[in-house]
Amino acid sequence: MKKQLYFLILFFCTFISLSAQRDTEHWFAPFSSAGSLGSAKQAIYLSTDSNTAFPVEVFNNNVLITTITISKGNPQFYYINTQDMIGSTAAELFTVGTKGLYLKGTKPFFATFRFTVPAHGEILTSKGKAGIGTKFYAVVAPLTNNSNSMNFTTGILATEDNTTVTISGYSSNVVFTNGTTAVTTPSMSFTLNKGQSYLVEGRGNQPGNAQGFIGAKIVADKPVSVTNGNFLGEFGLGITGGDIVMDQSVPIDRLGKEFVLVKGYGNISAQTEDALVVATEDNTQIYVNNNPLPVTTINEGQYYKVNEISNTNYINQGNEHYNMYIRTSKNAYVYQLLAGTAATSATIGFNYIPPLSCLLPRKIDEIGMIQNLPVTPNNQSQNTIKLNILTEKGATVLVNGLPLSSTEGPYDVTGTNGWVSYSKTAVTGNVTIESTKAVTAGIAGGSGFVGYGGYFAGFTSVPAISKTGDCVPGIVLETGDSFESYQWYIGTTPIPGATSNTYTPMLPGNYTVQVGMGGCFAVTPVFVIESCFEQVTKSLIICDPSKVIVPKFTNHNVPVILGTVQIDSPPTKGTAVIDPATGNITYTPNAGYVGNDTLIYHFCANPATGVGCEQVTLQLIVDPNPTVKNVVIRSCFIEANPSTALFNLETAPITTQTGLIKNYYPTLADLTNGTNEISPASSYISTEKKVYVKVTNSNGCYSIAEITLAVIPPVRSNVLTDKIICIEDTTVLDAGPGFDGYEWSTGATTQSITATVGTYWVILKTGECYTRQLVNVKAAIQPVISNLEIKNNTITVTAIGGKAPYQYSLDGTNWQESNFFSNLPRGENSIYVKDFYNCEPIDVTVTVPNLINAITPNGDNKNDYIDYSELAYKKNLVFNIYDRYGNKVHQANQFNAYKWDGTMFGKKLPTATYWYEITWTEPNKAQTQIKYSGWVLVKNFE
């Protein structure tokens, strides 16, 4: 009962969070209410720093609602119908709907959606283009009251057609308003078109909903805007009451790791002033103020309420000015839990805290109607505002051109030496803040009925690009003028000299600008510029029977939309047909026509590319390709390389047309690439293959002819062969019949000649070709007697060389085929040998030594020794004695006069038969080896 009375007394006693971003486009995703909206009032508030007035268009579901004109010092508001933003019935939840707003201006502006219901109120502050993205984590306040009137809500608004969104990662204890549970529905997916939205809600009477949806993951395949929070929530510890706690979220790529919070109007002891940290990655460590150790470590989707365990983290820096520094090891969401009055949960608020950045502007211009909220039709509530300013240390700060007092700041921030904070009370109307360094500003307000707070220009997004005009030429691009440096880009290429906050493009395309502030730099999102209607004149030579014309932009590398290709003026000397499947135009000249024709057509690009339409006036020159044919040409072989011939390609009859240019190439690839052209073509040496000719007329139309090169091979006599004769003989060389002429190296022109040993040639004529054929008459190689083996009175002859079979003779007259002779007399003998060719024989004279078969070395001077000293004149004479076991017992040489007396080392050997072997080299040309062997009986008497 006490709680109900409290709500009645504090009609409109609310806390409202505010954090706006200056941009040319803004989106507001819808949200759901757990209660009645009969008395709800809501309006959009717009302000700008532009001295030039400009229009802002407001859309719902792609339908224009209104157009509002604003300028600096002239902010405006416009009332919005409840059904365009807030859902309150079951039919409006968990289904594709049309709630949500889209605002578009030609210059940057601030936009907030401010709304009230009995005893409650809130402000959604747009982050502009920086607030849309493809991955978010939902952040709602934890519920400490299990009332069915409490809820969590998340709204998603699509910025493009066919956007698929998936929500997952919520606790298994969550129960949604439509009755589905996280157990049965662990994830949900839906598809939205541009301007459509989807609402998710859970009520506070389900225990799992108190914290279970905090950190739910939202993933889209195209950019969306997300609103999250509680239409009625309560997070105070030990204090009852409730209020709307809600703010627009940001995608994870806009997050950071360092944050500073300045306390609102709540008392520290009331525990309504807090911070909520939600991790986007595992193992995220959280540090508070100057604590060197993390206060906790959380994982993806988990949250940490900073003051829940220890309510001492807001530090009084003097004069009841409280601030808190939070640092995370990985990018995270930080939301400030606020109060608009000292000690009640009935005026709480919810505010996204942007990370610190040195890229923040030096000027915030301007915050409009800072103290106003819509209450009744055409009635604005007025509230007392405290302005909180955060800037880099050492900066000079002005508010509406005036410096701040020493009691208003600066105040240090424990944990960081780079930033300080200020507070200024009783601020009203339109506010401009200037600093000599990076600055952000927030407000905290409260009267007896309302209170709100938040940030302006404190979000570290990339500056926006605005335009004057619609297309190039004539369009002017502009970005904020509060930065220190600028560099404009088309695509990824910097534009020389484009270093101011405005740029006049001459070409359509994707434009960005890099801005810098105090050594920090950032690049804007891509801004697409369309082209005005372009007209071009081109010429095209038609060589083929038909030509496919591919519509393509002359000055832009973007695709053509197929359905936009149209023929504006058809040709008169042929036909032109559009292929609907490809958008290509096929032009076919009339049969036999040669001359000029004209075709006019146009096409367009996707507007998102920034390129418009182009009309082409195409001057056609019809000049058919030359008529050619493939031919074969032949040429006689080159004697030095018979597989090649010398060809005159210019004589190839590939066409009968005149006035053409012919270029010859060794391969089709060379012709295509224009490489390795054959020059001169009149004397081309080649093997048998194909070469290619590009035959071109005066307009560049060409045909390709193929020339097959045939090498006429040499025609040789198959009867004219080398001959071998005795050196003293002659032979007949006959080239054989069938040739058209003969010419011998002897000068003879007959079919045959008589020849002695030597080398001859004959030139044989066949048609127009001549073949030079060599023939040799060789002297037969005589055999050589290489070895003679003499045993007693026999000789075995070994012959080599020449050509077998050999014949052997002792007198040069009587011949035998056997190489063995016996019963030879002692003394010198002649051996004759001749071979197959029966030329003059060779001969060798050999000495057959006297045979001694027994010695009696008893000193009677009769048969006392073997004596072969008569052979001492023979070359390489060797005389060795062996016993019957093959052991050498004596070697005769010049020192012992080639004699043996039956001893070994001066001692008599036993009576026995011994073997001896005598070898020498006959001193003839062949150096014939002689081997003479036998046995001797040694009788030694004691």
PDB file of all heavy atoms in Angstrom, residues 339-370:
ATOM      1  N   ALA A 339      20.021   7.924 -10.312  1.00  0.00           N
ATOM      2  CA  ALA A 339      18.824   8.353  -9.586  1.00  0.00           C
ATOM      3  C   ALA A 339      18.656   9.854  -9.767  1.00  0.00           C
ATOM      4  O   ALA A 339      19.632  10.606  -9.767  1.00  0.00           O
ATOM      5  CB  ALA A 339      18.920   8.006  -8.104  1.00  0.00           C
ATOM      6  N   GLY A 340      17.373  10.280  -9.912  1.00  0.00           N
ATOM      7  CA  GLY A 340      17.098  11.691 -10.103  1.00  0.00           C
ATOM      8  C   GLY A 340      16.796  12.443  -8.824  1.00  0.00           C
ATOM      9  O   GLY A 340      16.784  13.660  -8.809  1.00  0.00           O
ATOM     10  N   THR A 341      16.559  11.660  -7.739  1.00  0.00           N
ATOM     11  CA  THR A 341      16.393  12.279  -6.424  1.00  0.00           C
ATOM     12  C   THR A 341      17.241  11.531  -5.434  1.00  0.00           C
ATOM     13  O   THR A 341      17.806  10.482  -5.746  1.00  0.00           O
ATOM     14  CB  THR A 341      14.920  12.256  -5.995  1.00  0.00           C
ATOM     15  OG1 THR A 341      14.454  10.903  -5.986  1.00  0.00           O
ATOM     16  CG2 THR A 341      14.053  13.081  -6.941  1.00  0.00           C
ATOM     17  N   ALA A 342      17.289  12.012  -4.209  1.00  0.00           N
ATOM     18  CA  ALA A 342      18.293  11.549  -3.254  1.00  0.00           C
ATOM     19  C   ALA A 342      18.124  10.092  -2.825  1.00  0.00           C
ATOM     20  O   ALA A 342      19.091   9.346  -2.780  1.00  0.00           O
ATOM     21  CB  ALA A 342      18.296  12.453  -2.025  1.00  0.00           C
ATOM     22  N   ALA A 343      16.914   9.663  -2.484  1.00  0.00           N
ATOM     23  CA  ALA A 343      16.810   8.377  -1.798  1.00  0.00           C
ATOM     24  C   ALA A 343      15.579   7.592  -2.223  1.00  0.00           C
ATOM     25  O   ALA A 343      14.794   7.147  -1.390  1.00  0.00           O
ATOM     26  CB  ALA A 343      16.796   8.594  -0.286  1.00  0.00           C
ATOM     27  N   THR A 344      15.362   7.393  -3.523  1.00  0.00           N
ATOM     28  CA  THR A 344      14.211   6.614  -3.967  1.00  0.00           C
ATOM     29  C   THR A 344      14.535   5.876  -5.249  1.00  0.00           C
ATOM     30  O   THR A 344      15.307   6.367  -6.086  1.00  0.00           O
ATOM     31  CB  THR A 344      12.992   7.495  -4.193  1.00  0.00           C
ATOM     32  OG1 THR A 344      11.922   6.693  -4.722  1.00  0.00           O
ATOM     33  CG2 THR A 344      13.268   8.620  -5.181  1.00  0.00           C
ATOM     34  N   SER A 345      13.956   4.690  -5.398  1.00  0.00           N
ATOM     35  CA  SER A 345      14.090   3.928  -6.632  1.00  0.00           C
ATOM     36  C   SER A 345      13.028   4.308  -7.646  1.00  0.00           C
ATOM     37  O   SER A 345      12.937   3.695  -8.704  1.00  0.00           O
ATOM     38  CB  SER A 345      14.001   2.423  -6.335  1.00  0.00           C
ATOM     39  OG  SER A 345      15.137   1.994  -5.625  1.00  0.00           O
ATOM     40  N   ALA A 346      12.191   5.288  -7.306  1.00  0.00           N
ATOM     41  CA  ALA A 346      11.128   5.690  -8.217  1.00  0.00           C
ATOM     42  C   ALA A 346      11.619   6.688  -9.266  1.00  0.00           C
ATOM     43  O   ALA A 346      10.853   7.087 -10.132  1.00  0.00           O
ATOM     44  CB  ALA A 346       9.963   6.277  -7.432  1.00  0.00           C
ATOM     45  N   THR A 347      12.852   7.150  -9.165  1.00  0.00           N
ATOM     46  CA  THR A 347      13.380   8.085 -10.174  1.00  0.00           C
ATOM     47  C   THR A 347      14.714   7.596 -10.709  1.00  0.00           C
ATOM     48  O   THR A 347      15.663   8.354 -10.872  1.00  0.00           O
ATOM     49  CB  THR A 347      13.558   9.484  -9.568  1.00  0.00           C
ATOM     50  OG1 THR A 347      14.420   9.393  -8.428  1.00  0.00           O
ATOM     51  CG2 THR A 347      12.223  10.080  -9.173  1.00  0.00           C
ATOM     52  N   ILE A 348      14.799   6.297 -10.947  1.00  0.00           N
ATOM     53  CA  ILE A 348      16.060   5.715 -11.442  1.00  0.00           C
ATOM     54  C   ILE A 348      16.160   5.880 -12.957  1.00  0.00           C
ATOM     55  O   ILE A 348      15.170   6.131 -13.640  1.00  0.00           O
ATOM     56  CB  ILE A 348      16.167   4.234 -11.041  1.00  0.00           C
ATOM     57  CG1 ILE A 348      14.939   3.451 -11.546  1.00  0.00           C
ATOM     58  CG2 ILE A 348      16.322   4.097  -9.543  1.00  0.00           C
ATOM     59  CD1 ILE A 348      14.995   1.972 -11.220  1.00  0.00           C
ATOM     60  N   GLY A 349      17.369   5.730 -13.450  1.00  0.00           N
ATOM     61  CA  GLY A 349      17.606   5.847 -14.885  1.00  0.00           C
ATOM     62  C   GLY A 349      18.712   4.915 -15.349  1.00  0.00           C
ATOM     63  O   GLY A 349      19.392   4.269 -14.558  1.00  0.00           O
ATOM     64  N   PHE A 350      18.901   4.869 -16.658  1.00  0.00           N
ATOM     65  CA  PHE A 350      19.766   3.883 -17.294  1.00  0.00           C
ATOM     66  C   PHE A 350      20.489   4.584 -18.433  1.00  0.00           C
ATOM     67  O   PHE A 350      19.849   5.111 -19.343  1.00  0.00           O
ATOM     68  CB  PHE A 350      18.874   2.759 -17.823  1.00  0.00           C
ATOM     69  CG  PHE A 350      19.595   1.495 -18.191  1.00  0.00           C
ATOM     70  CD1 PHE A 350      20.373   0.816 -17.266  1.00  0.00           C
ATOM     71  CD2 PHE A 350      19.444   0.946 -19.463  1.00  0.00           C
ATOM     72  CE1 PHE A 350      20.987  -0.377 -17.591  1.00  0.00           C
ATOM     73  CE2 PHE A 350      20.052  -0.245 -19.797  1.00  0.00           C
ATOM     74  CZ  PHE A 350      20.821  -0.918 -18.860  1.00  0.00           C
ATOM     75  N   ASN A 351      21.813   4.611 -18.379  1.00  0.00           N
ATOM     76  CA  ASN A 351      22.537   5.429 -19.343  1.00  0.00           C
ATOM     77  C   ASN A 351      23.783   4.707 -19.842  1.00  0.00           C
ATOM     78  O   ASN A 351      24.650   4.326 -19.048  1.00  0.00           O
ATOM     79  CB  ASN A 351      22.920   6.757 -18.684  1.00  0.00           C
ATOM     80  CG  ASN A 351      23.512   7.716 -19.691  1.00  0.00           C
ATOM     81  OD1 ASN A 351      23.057   7.801 -20.814  1.00  0.00           O
ATOM     82  ND2 ASN A 351      24.535   8.431 -19.272  1.00  0.00           N
ATOM     83  N   TYR A 352      23.890   4.509 -21.168  1.00  0.00           N
ATOM     84  CA  TYR A 352      25.102   3.952 -21.752  1.00  0.00           C
ATOM     85  C   TYR A 352      26.244   4.956 -21.590  1.00  0.00           C
ATOM     86  O   TYR A 352      26.095   6.145 -21.888  1.00  0.00           O
ATOM     87  CB  TYR A 352      24.907   3.643 -23.228  1.00  0.00           C
ATOM     88  CG  TYR A 352      26.200   3.294 -23.910  1.00  0.00           C
ATOM     89  CD1 TYR A 352      26.798   2.052 -23.714  1.00  0.00           C
ATOM     90  CD2 TYR A 352      26.866   4.226 -24.702  1.00  0.00           C
ATOM     91  CE1 TYR A 352      28.012   1.739 -24.314  1.00  0.00           C
ATOM     92  CE2 TYR A 352      28.073   3.923 -25.299  1.00  0.00           C
ATOM     93  CZ  TYR A 352      28.645   2.675 -25.098  1.00  0.00           C
ATOM     94  OH  TYR A 352      29.847   2.379 -25.677  1.00  0.00           O
ATOM     95  N   ILE A 353      27.397   4.476 -21.105  1.00  0.00           N
ATOM     96  CA  ILE A 353      28.570   5.317 -20.894  1.00  0.00           C
ATOM     97  C   ILE A 353      29.569   5.055 -22.022  1.00  0.00           C
ATOM     98  O   ILE A 353      30.048   3.927 -22.172  1.00  0.00           O
ATOM     99  CB  ILE A 353      29.226   5.050 -19.527  1.00  0.00           C
ATOM    100  CG1 ILE A 353      28.231   5.314 -18.408  1.00  0.00           C
ATOM    101  CG2 ILE A 353      30.476   5.913 -19.360  1.00  0.00           C
ATOM    102  CD1 ILE A 353      27.729   6.738 -18.342  1.00  0.00           C
ATOM    103  N   PRO A 354      29.886   6.063 -22.808  1.00  0.00           N
ATOM    104  CA  PRO A 354      30.863   5.856 -23.884  1.00  0.00           C
ATOM    105  C   PRO A 354      32.277   5.763 -23.318  1.00  0.00           C
ATOM    106  O   PRO A 354      32.584   6.355 -22.281  1.00  0.00           O
ATOM    107  CB  PRO A 354      30.703   7.102 -24.755  1.00  0.00           C
ATOM    108  CG  PRO A 354      30.216   8.144 -23.806  1.00  0.00           C
ATOM    109  CD  PRO A 354      29.356   7.442 -22.803  1.00  0.00           C
ATOM    110  N   PRO A 355      33.161   5.032 -23.992  1.00  0.00           N
ATOM    111  CA  PRO A 355      34.549   4.951 -23.530  1.00  0.00           C
ATOM    112  C   PRO A 355      35.293   6.260 -23.762  1.00  0.00           C
ATOM    113  O   PRO A 355      34.924   7.072 -24.617  1.00  0.00           O
ATOM    114  CB  PRO A 355      35.138   3.831 -24.390  1.00  0.00           C
ATOM    115  CG  PRO A 355      34.295   3.817 -25.617  1.00  0.00           C
ATOM    116  CD  PRO A 355      32.921   4.201 -25.186  1.00  0.00           C
ATOM    117  N   LEU A 356      36.350   6.465 -22.988  1.00  0.00           N
ATOM    118  CA  LEU A 356      37.178   7.659 -23.147  1.00  0.00           C
ATOM    119  C   LEU A 356      37.889   7.625 -24.494  1.00  0.00           C
ATOM    120  O   LEU A 356      38.291   6.570 -24.976  1.00  0.00           O
ATOM    121  CB  LEU A 356      38.206   7.742 -22.030  1.00  0.00           C
ATOM    122  CG  LEU A 356      37.671   7.839 -20.590  1.00  0.00           C
ATOM    123  CD1 LEU A 356      38.824   7.850 -19.611  1.00  0.00           C
ATOM    124  CD2 LEU A 356      36.794   9.070 -20.431  1.00  0.00           C
ATOM    125  N   SER A 357      38.066   8.802 -25.084  1.00  0.00           N
ATOM    126  CA  SER A 357      38.775   8.885 -26.362  1.00  0.00           C
ATOM    127  C   SER A 357      39.331  10.289 -26.532  1.00  0.00           C
ATOM    128  O   SER A 357      38.635  11.277 -26.277  1.00  0.00           O
ATOM    129  CB  SER A 357      37.846   8.567 -27.533  1.00  0.00           C
ATOM    130  OG  SER A 357      38.471   8.861 -28.761  1.00  0.00           O
ATOM    131  N   CYS A 358      40.579  10.357 -27.004  1.00  0.00           N
ATOM    132  CA  CYS A 358      41.167  11.666 -27.275  1.00  0.00           C
ATOM    133  C   CYS A 358      40.648  12.257 -28.570  1.00  0.00           C
ATOM    134  O   CYS A 358      40.988  13.391 -28.923  1.00  0.00           O
ATOM    135  CB  CYS A 358      42.692  11.565 -27.329  1.00  0.00           C
ATOM    136  SG  CYS A 358      43.283  10.389 -28.555  1.00  0.00           S
ATOM    137  N   LEU A 359      39.799  11.523 -29.297  1.00  0.00           N
ATOM    138  CA  LEU A 359      39.217  12.043 -30.526  1.00  0.00           C
ATOM    139  C   LEU A 359      37.963  12.860 -30.259  1.00  0.00           C
ATOM    140  O   LEU A 359      37.384  13.441 -31.171  1.00  0.00           O
ATOM    141  CB  LEU A 359      38.881  10.882 -31.476  1.00  0.00           C
ATOM    142  CG  LEU A 359      38.498  11.246 -32.907  1.00  0.00           C
ATOM    143  CD1 LEU A 359      39.669  11.894 -33.613  1.00  0.00           C
ATOM    144  CD2 LEU A 359      38.009  10.032 -33.660  1.00  0.00           C
ATOM    145  N   LEU A 360      37.532  12.911 -29.032  1.00  0.00           N
ATOM    146  CA  LEU A 360      36.344  13.707 -28.713  1.00  0.00           C
ATOM    147  C   LEU A 360      36.528  15.143 -29.191  1.00  0.00           C
ATOM    148  O   LEU A 360      37.648  15.668 -29.192  1.00  0.00           O
ATOM    149  CB  LEU A 360      36.096  13.687 -27.203  1.00  0.00           C
ATOM    150  CG  LEU A 360      35.678  12.333 -26.604  1.00  0.00           C
ATOM    151  CD1 LEU A 360      35.701  12.409 -25.092  1.00  0.00           C
ATOM    152  CD2 LEU A 360      34.308  11.933 -27.107  1.00  0.00           C
ATOM    153  N   PRO A 361      35.444  15.791 -29.590  1.00  0.00           N
ATOM    154  CA  PRO A 361      35.574  17.160 -30.109  1.00  0.00           C
ATOM    155  C   PRO A 361      35.969  18.145 -29.022  1.00  0.00           C
ATOM    156  O   PRO A 361      35.911  17.854 -27.827  1.00  0.00           O
ATOM    157  CB  PRO A 361      34.169  17.453 -30.642  1.00  0.00           C
ATOM    158  CG  PRO A 361      33.280  16.576 -29.836  1.00  0.00           C
ATOM    159  CD  PRO A 361      34.047  15.317 -29.589  1.00  0.00           C
ATOM    160  N   ARG A 362      36.357  19.314 -29.443  1.00  0.00           N
ATOM    161  CA  ARG A 362      36.669  20.409 -28.519  1.00  0.00           C
ATOM    162  C   ARG A 362      35.440  21.306 -28.293  1.00  0.00           C
ATOM    163  O   ARG A 362      35.498  22.224 -27.492  1.00  0.00           O
ATOM    164  CB  ARG A 362      37.797  21.271 -29.082  1.00  0.00           C
ATOM    165  CG  ARG A 362      39.223  20.798 -28.774  1.00  0.00           C
ATOM    166  CD  ARG A 362      39.492  19.365 -29.094  1.00  0.00           C
ATOM    167  NE  ARG A 362      40.894  19.034 -28.918  1.00  0.00           N
ATOM    168  CZ  ARG A 362      41.369  17.811 -28.875  1.00  0.00           C
ATOM    169  NH1 ARG A 362      40.542  16.786 -28.968  1.00  0.00           N
ATOM    170  NH2 ARG A 362      42.653  17.588 -28.725  1.00  0.00           N
ATOM    171  N   LYS A 363      34.348  20.959 -28.993  1.00  0.00           N
ATOM    172  CA  LYS A 363      33.175  21.822 -28.898  1.00  0.00           C
ATOM    173  C   LYS A 363      31.914  20.964 -29.009  1.00  0.00           C
ATOM    174  O   LYS A 363      31.826  20.103 -29.889  1.00  0.00           O
ATOM    175  CB  LYS A 363      33.219  22.857 -30.025  1.00  0.00           C
ATOM    176  CG  LYS A 363      32.125  23.908 -29.975  1.00  0.00           C
ATOM    177  CD  LYS A 363      32.335  24.905 -31.124  1.00  0.00           C
ATOM    178  CE  LYS A 363      31.323  26.032 -31.081  1.00  0.00           C
ATOM    179  NZ  LYS A 363      31.503  26.987 -32.199  1.00  0.00           N
ATOM    180  N   ILE A 364      30.936  21.217 -28.130  1.00  0.00           N
ATOM    181  CA  ILE A 364      29.633  20.557 -28.180  1.00  0.00           C
ATOM    182  C   ILE A 364      28.603  21.653 -28.444  1.00  0.00           C
ATOM    183  O   ILE A 364      28.344  22.490 -27.592  1.00  0.00           O
ATOM    184  CB  ILE A 364      29.320  19.824 -26.860  1.00  0.00           C
ATOM    185  CG1 ILE A 364      30.417  18.790 -26.566  1.00  0.00           C
ATOM    186  CG2 ILE A 364      27.957  19.146 -26.927  1.00  0.00           C
ATOM    187  CD1 ILE A 364      30.301  18.173 -25.195  1.00  0.00           C
ATOM    188  N   ASP A 365      28.035  21.596 -29.657  1.00  0.00           N
ATOM    189  CA  ASP A 365      27.230  22.755 -30.090  1.00  0.00           C
ATOM    190  C   ASP A 365      26.102  22.248 -30.991  1.00  0.00           C
ATOM    191  O   ASP A 365      26.356  21.795 -32.093  1.00  0.00           O
ATOM    192  CB  ASP A 365      28.132  23.701 -30.863  1.00  0.00           C
ATOM    193  CG  ASP A 365      27.469  25.024 -31.184  1.00  0.00           C
ATOM    194  OD1 ASP A 365      26.392  25.298 -30.635  1.00  0.00           O
ATOM    195  OD2 ASP A 365      28.050  25.762 -32.003  1.00  0.00           O
ATOM    196  N   GLU A 366      24.811  22.243 -30.549  1.00  0.00           N
ATOM    197  CA  GLU A 366      24.404  22.682 -29.235  1.00  0.00           C
ATOM    198  C   GLU A 366      23.425  21.680 -28.662  1.00  0.00           C
ATOM    199  O   GLU A 366      22.779  20.930 -29.414  1.00  0.00           O
ATOM    200  CB  GLU A 366      23.766  24.076 -29.318  1.00  0.00           C
ATOM    201  CG  GLU A 366      22.474  24.080 -30.093  1.00  0.00           C
ATOM    202  CD  GLU A 366      21.827  25.470 -30.197  1.00  0.00           C
ATOM    203  OE1 GLU A 366      22.268  26.409 -29.531  1.00  0.00           O
ATOM    204  OE2 GLU A 366      20.872  25.567 -30.950  1.00  0.00           O
ATOM    205  N   ILE A 367      23.331  21.649 -27.317  1.00  0.00           N
ATOM    206  CA  ILE A 367      22.320  20.835 -26.641  1.00  0.00           C
ATOM    207  C   ILE A 367      21.054  21.694 -26.552  1.00  0.00           C
ATOM    208  O   ILE A 367      21.055  22.751 -25.925  1.00  0.00           O
ATOM    209  CB  ILE A 367      22.780  20.420 -25.239  1.00  0.00           C
ATOM    210  CG1 ILE A 367      24.151  19.729 -25.305  1.00  0.00           C
ATOM    211  CG2 ILE A 367      21.754  19.510 -24.594  1.00  0.00           C
ATOM    212  CD1 ILE A 367      24.737  19.433 -23.949  1.00  0.00           C
ATOM    213  N   GLY A 368      19.989  21.250 -27.205  1.00  0.00           N
ATOM    214  CA  GLY A 368      18.794  22.082 -27.285  1.00  0.00           C
ATOM    215  C   GLY A 368      17.736  21.720 -26.264  1.00  0.00           C
ATOM    216  O   GLY A 368      17.536  20.546 -25.941  1.00  0.00           O
ATOM    217  N   MET A 369      17.052  22.727 -25.739  1.00  0.00           N
ATOM    218  CA  MET A 369      15.926  22.559 -24.805  1.00  0.00           C
ATOM    219  C   MET A 369      16.286  21.540 -23.722  1.00  0.00           C
ATOM    220  O   MET A 369      15.596  20.559 -23.486  1.00  0.00           O
ATOM    221  CB  MET A 369      14.673  22.127 -25.558  1.00  0.00           C
ATOM    222  CG  MET A 369      14.169  23.174 -26.539  1.00  0.00           C
ATOM    223  SD  MET A 369      12.652  22.712 -27.404  1.00  0.00           S
ATOM    224  CE  MET A 369      13.320  21.608 -28.640  1.00  0.00           C
ATOM    225  N   ILE A 370      17.397  21.815 -23.076  1.00  0.00           N
ATOM    226  CA  ILE A 370      18.031  20.837 -22.213  1.00  0.00           C
ATOM    227  C   ILE A 370      17.147  20.410 -21.047  1.00  0.00           C
ATOM    228  O   ILE A 370      17.287  19.320 -20.520  1.00  0.00           O
ATOM    229  CB  ILE A 370      19.384  21.408 -21.721  1.00  0.00           C
ATOM    230  CG1 ILE A 370      20.274  20.284 -21.185  1.00  0.00           C
ATOM    231  CG2 ILE A 370      19.178  22.499 -20.697  1.00  0.00           C
ATOM    232  CD1 ILE A 370      21.705  20.739 -20.957  1.00  0.00           C
TER     233      ILE A 370
END
